[in-house]
């Protein structure tokens, strides 16, 4: 099977407007005609506003009366949405990256009290539960007005998430103490526990759910409560006993991906590995078929393993079978933390510690202490430095230069002006006895610093063809603007 691997070129840096100065440290081509590329549904996290950005498309919502969002979770209009919320849009999208929305639909995945919080090392995913349902939050999760470090047991949260192959949910968005959440405060999604169904109750991940005949959505009944089947439950908690009283039981969030029209854009974690026998893999309850015409953007078939976050554009063939026209990775393999050196508005990019960070229509920009949406202009350094944490993907431009494409940028209230932390994929050629190159930036180092990463272990991984990711702390050398030195190098 011959597959097309497409690399999107970097925007030419002809007339560049540089905003901000270095801090002193002392010591795919678009077609102009705007033709229709697809008509159907687009399901993915919201990445921006001024219209609504989903899956890299700017959907205009003018034709929707009062910009209404179909939801029973207190999300009534476009103004109630937040970045990271997984939204379903029905409409059409064009070659030029814009689209027209006919309808918008949102549904919380989980809503309730957070418990059993498990925090790993800084930068590592955080795990917690909502009434027994396990959730994973990582650097790509959007938290409004909070951070992963400030998550706490007993927080009342709303979560928009994807279900992973292991049954856990990967959070795309977490909101805290929502003022509006519809008529019922609690929302759960999960499987019916084996042997738990009784005349008026069952358990879901150990949580007791009580129901009546009027608890079920139209066309459903208690007979549908089969062990292992996933459902969505909305309701409230009993004052005594702690059981959840279900006011509505319906099919789970996979209904987001029902076909409307021929085309679909979807983001989510791969649910089953790519099968070379029938050229398919699983995604969000759908079967994705790969053909010789499928375009692979910075991804290979071997990368399509369960759990990898990807974006797929394709067309429904029949039932839940989608023929993919394009597949690209959306799981981050790169990070950088530090002060913004400069902003290049002409190319929608930042320079952070000598590393170029590209901002796209899928980049989510937030603040760790504010709720208002941000744009690239809010990252321009002025009298005060601007500190950010960036998660994204390592990319290579048409000229071979390596850069980072940001999936999420979080502006921070403070930071270290002179030091940076970076994580990226390296090859054997990126390491010498005196330098290490990460995300296209060459850092001066020493054998002693590199020994912290266990050079012998690195050589074994290179020989075995494994992907090697290094975490590096570094700083700008004294009295220079373009030379940097590594302080520590560790294997991720």
């Amino acid at each position: 099977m011959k597959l097309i691997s497409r690399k999107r070129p970097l925007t030419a840096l002809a007339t560049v407007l540089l905003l901000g100065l270095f801090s002193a440290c002392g010591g795919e081509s678009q077609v102009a005609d705007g033709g229709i590329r697809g008509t159907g549904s687009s399901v993915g996290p919201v990445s921006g506003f001024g219209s609504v950005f989903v899956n890299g498309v700017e959907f205009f919502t003018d034709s929707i009366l009062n910009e209404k969002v179909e939801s029973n979770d207190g999300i009534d209009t476009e103004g109630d949405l937040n970045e990271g919320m997984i939204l379903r849009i029905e409409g059409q999208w064009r070659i030029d990256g814009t689209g027209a929305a006919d309808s918008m639909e949102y549904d919380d995945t989980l809503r309730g009290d957070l418990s059993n919080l498990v925090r790993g090392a800084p930068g590592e995913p955080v795990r917690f539960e909502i009434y027994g349902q396990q959730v994973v939050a990582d650097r790509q999760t959007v938290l409004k007005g909070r951070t992963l470090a400030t998550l706490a047991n007993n927080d009342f949260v709303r979560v928009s998430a994807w279900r992973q192959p292991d049954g856990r949910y990967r959070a795309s968005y977490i909101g805290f103490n929502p003022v509006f959440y519809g008529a019922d405060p609690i929302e759960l999604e999960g499987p019916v526990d084996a042997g738990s169904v009784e005349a008026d109750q069952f358990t879901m991940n150990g949580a007791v759910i009580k129901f009546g005949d009027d608890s079920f959505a139209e066309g459903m009944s208690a007979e549908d409560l089969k062990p292992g089947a996933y459902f969505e439950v909305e309701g409230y908690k009993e004052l005594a006993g702690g059981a959840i009283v279900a006011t509505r039981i319906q099919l789970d969030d996979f209904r987001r991906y029902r076909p409307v029209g021929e085309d679909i854009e979807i983001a989510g974690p791969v649910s089953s590995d790519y099968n070379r026998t029938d050229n398919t893999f699983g995604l969000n309850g759908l079967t994705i078929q790969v053909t010789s015409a499928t375009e692979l953007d910075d991804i290979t078939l071997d990368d399509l393993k369960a759990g990898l976050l990807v974006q797929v554009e394709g067309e429904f063939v029949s039932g839940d079978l989608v023929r993919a026209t394009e597949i690209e990775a959306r799981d981050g393999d790169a990070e950088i933390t530090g002060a913004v050196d400069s902003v290049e508005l002409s190319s929608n990019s930042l320079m952070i510690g000598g590393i170029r960070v590209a901002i796209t229509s899928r980049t989510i920009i937030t603040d760790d202490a504010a709720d208002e949406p941000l744009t690239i202009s809010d990252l321009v350094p002025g009298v005060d430095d601007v500190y950010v944490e960036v998660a994204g993907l390592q990319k290579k431009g048409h000229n071979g230069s390596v850069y980072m494409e940001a999936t999420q940028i979080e502006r921070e209230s403070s930071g270290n002006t002179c030091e940076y932390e970076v994580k990226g994929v390296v090859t054997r050629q990126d390491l010498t006895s005196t330098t290490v190159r990460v995300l296209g930036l060459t850092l001066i180092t020493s054998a002693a610093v590199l020994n912290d990463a266990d050079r012998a272990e690195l050589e074994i991984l290179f020989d075995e063809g494994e992907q090697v990711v290094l975490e590096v702390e570094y700083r700008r050398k004294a009295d220079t603007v373009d030379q940097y030195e590594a302080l520590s190098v560790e294997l991720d």
Side-chain angles (χ1 to χ4, degrees):
M1 178 182 298
K2 182 179 179 182
L3 297 167
I4 303 168
S5 182
R6 183 179 66 190
K7 306 287 185 181
R8 289 196 174 113
L10 293 174
T11 304
L13 301 179
T15 305
V16 176
L17 174 62
L18 291 177
L19 299 175
L21 300 174
F22 290 112
S23 302
C25 289
E28 73 206 66
S29 61
Q30 296 183 349
V31 179
D33 63 8
I36 299 300
R37 193 175 84 225
T39 300
S41 57
S42 183
V43 187
V46 174
S47 59
F49 297 98
S51 45
V52 177
F53 288 81
V54 173
N55 292 329
V57 176
E58 180 182 10
F59 285 97
F60 297 103
T61 57
D62 311 64
S63 63
I64 302 175
L65 183 62
N66 297 324
E67 298 177 333
K68 179 177 175 55
V69 177
E70 297 173 20
S71 172
N72 64 348
D73 295 332
I75 305 296
D76 297 321
T77 69
E78 178 183 321
D80 298 321
L81 294 169
N82 281 301
E83 295 93 338
M85 286 182 167
I86 300 172
L87 185 69
R88 174 186 171 92
I89 289 182
E90 292 180 12
Q92 61 185 27
W93 49 97
R94 307 183 182 90
I95 297 172
D96 65 0
T98 65
D102 296 326
S103 67
M104 296 182 286
E105 182 180 331
Y106 174 77
D107 186 23
D108 286 333
T109 306
L110 303 165
R111 194 170 56 244
D113 295 315
L114 186 154
S115 64
N116 296 326
L117 178 69
V118 178
R119 205 185 308 281
E124 293 299 312
V126 172
R127 305 181 188 279
F128 60 88
E129 295 182 5
I130 298 179
Y131 304 117
Q133 180 58 64
Q134 298 184 51
V135 183
V136 178
D138 57 26
R139 289 288 294 273
Q140 291 185 254
T141 303
V142 178
L143 294 88
K144 294 302 291 184
R146 298 278 290 277
T147 66
L148 289 178
T150 59
L151 273 175
N153 285 320
N154 300 317
D155 279 335
F156 186 85
V157 297
R158 73 181 334 151
V159 178
S160 186
W162 295 285
R163 189 167 85 226
Q164 300 187 125
D166 60 5
R168 295 175 177 174
Y169 283 79
R170 177 173 177 172
S172 176
Y173 167 86
I174 301 176
F176 296 84
N177 299 314
V179 177
F180 302 107
Y181 45 71
D184 302 300
I186 293 174
E187 182 163 339
L188 294 179
E189 186 175 304
V192 175
D193 294 336
S196 70
V197 180
E198 300 179 16
D200 61 353
Q201 69 177 45
F202 67 98
T203 66
M204 178 183 287
N205 295 306
V208 177
I209 313 292
K210 293 186 176 182
F211 63 86
D213 292 338
D214 59 351
S215 299
F216 295 89
E218 185 177 354
M220 297 180 62
S221 69
E223 295 181 358
D224 295 305
L225 298 175
K226 306 298 183 184
Y230 276 72
F231 293 93
E232 176 187 294
V233 174
E234 292 182 89
Y236 58 92
K237 198 170 184 178
E238 283 185 327
L239 293 177
I244 295 169
V245 179
T247 56
R248 183 174 177 82
I249 300 174
Q250 61 182 338
L251 296 177
D252 66 6
D253 274 346
F254 277 159
R255 67 184 186 279
R256 294 170 175 159
Y257 309 101
R258 65 188 181 278
V260 170
E262 298 179 354
D263 303 307
I264 186 170
E265 292 182 318
I266 42 175
V270 173
S271 57
S272 60
D273 294 358
Y274 176 71
N275 185 330
R276 289 187 175 274
T277 302
D278 60 7
N279 303 315
T280 65
F281 64 95
L283 177 69
N284 296 335
L286 302 173
T287 299
I288 310 299
Q289 182 183 64
V290 182
T291 74
S292 58
T294 303
E295 297 177 358
L296 302 180
D297 189 354
D298 289 325
I299 194 172
T300 69
L301 295 177
D302 291 335
D303 294 328
L304 294 171
K305 304 290 187 182
L308 179 71
L309 187 63
V310 298
Q311 181 175 315
V312 173
E313 183 173 344
E315 57 184 4
F316 280 100
V317 178
S318 62
D320 61 359
L321 180 63
V322 174
R323 182 182 295 122
T325 56
E326 182 179 354
I327 304 171
E328 58 183 307
R330 298 307 301 159
D331 232 339
D333 57 6
E335 297 176 4
I336 186 167
T337 300
V340 175
D341 296 327
S342 62
V343 175
E344 300 173 351
L345 293 180
S346 61
S347 61
N348 281 329
S349 63
L350 315 174
M351 291 298 292
I352 304 172
I355 291 173
R356 184 171 183 269
V357 178
I359 295 177
T360 73
S361 54
R362 280 181 291 239
T363 304
I364 298 173
I365 306 176
T366 61
D367 188 285
D368 67 355
D371 287 340
E372 70 271 9
L374 304 179
T375 69
I376 185 173
S377 297
D378 295 302
L379 304 179
V380 176
V383 175
D384 297 321
D385 291 308
V386 175
Y387 303 97
V388 294
E389 286 190 6
V390 185
L393 300 96
Q394 184 164 319
K395 296 277 190 172
K396 183 176 288 188
H398 68 290
N399 60 356
S401 62
V402 177
Y403 67 104
M404 179 178 178
E405 181 182 293
T407 54
Q408 183 173 351
I409 300 175
E410 183 175 69
R411 187 177 65 181
E412 300 188 306
S413 55
S414 62
N416 189 319
T417 304
C418 303
E419 295 186 3
Y420 307 86
E421 295 181 12
V422 64
K423 182 174 81 171
V425 179
V426 300
T427 65
R428 181 181 271 117
Q429 290 70 37
D430 292 322
L431 297 176
T432 72
S433 60
T434 58
T435 63
V436 55
R437 187 169 61 241
V438 184
L439 285 176
L441 178 66
T442 298
L443 303 165
I444 298 171
T445 185
S446 65
V449 171
L450 284 176
N451 282 340
D452 292 340
D454 194 337
R455 185 62 183 262
E457 182 180 359
L458 291 177
E459 292 296 337
I460 293 173
L461 293 174
F462 288 138
D463 289 339
E464 294 177 346
E466 296 289 334
Q467 177 175 278
V468 175
V469 178
L470 293 183
E471 292 184 351
V472 181
E473 293 184 10
Y474 68 100
R475 67 186 175 195
R476 184 177 289 110
K477 291 193 67 178
D479 303 322
T480 70
V481 295
D482 58 358
Q483 286 189 313
Y484 301 86
E485 58 185 354
L487 302 175
S488 68
V489 179
E490 297 182 357
L491 183 63
D492 182 49

